[in-house]
Amino acid sequence: MSGQRLNITLDGEHAAKLAALAARVHVNEGTLARSLLSSAIDDLDPDPTNVAALLDGIDGAWERAQLGVEQAASGDTIALDEL
């Protein structure tokens, strides 16, 4: 099974929540983040209208997505299992 590498940046509050939760369940933050993201994707309604509405509701999502594209293009990435 092949995977897709993603570069994900969390704000300080969400990074702290992820770190605290990972410490509580004794797993690597990257492993937990991968599991949470996979679960969220599995639970997502695939209707494109719902996806667009979800994304439109996230403040700064477009700007962060563009930054991620720029970072990925420049090779500025970290594997989740290296976090």
Side-chain angles (χ1 to χ4, degrees):
M1 174 187 261
S2 65
Q4 172 89 21
R5 186 173 292 216
L6 300 173
N7 179 21
I8 299 173
T9 303
L10 298 175
D11 60 41
E13 180 181 348
H14 287 104
K17 286 180 180 181
L18 178 64
L21 183 57
R24 274 199 341 233
V25 296
H26 307 287
V27 298
N28 179 284
E29 290 176 33
T31 300
L32 181 58
R34 184 172 43 249
S35 177
L36 291 170
L37 179 58
S38 294
S39 179
I41 290 170
D42 287 344
D43 293 343
L44 186 65
D45 182 350
D47 180 348
T49 304
N50 294 333
V51 174
L54 173 69
L55 295 175
D56 286 343
I58 301 171
D59 288 336
W62 176 256
E63 292 79 9
R64 290 193 311 243
Q66 293 305 307
L67 175 60
V69 168
E70 292 168 12
Q71 289 172 326
S74 70
D76 184 18
T77 61
I78 297 173
L80 286 177
D81 58 356
E82 294 176 13
L83 293 175

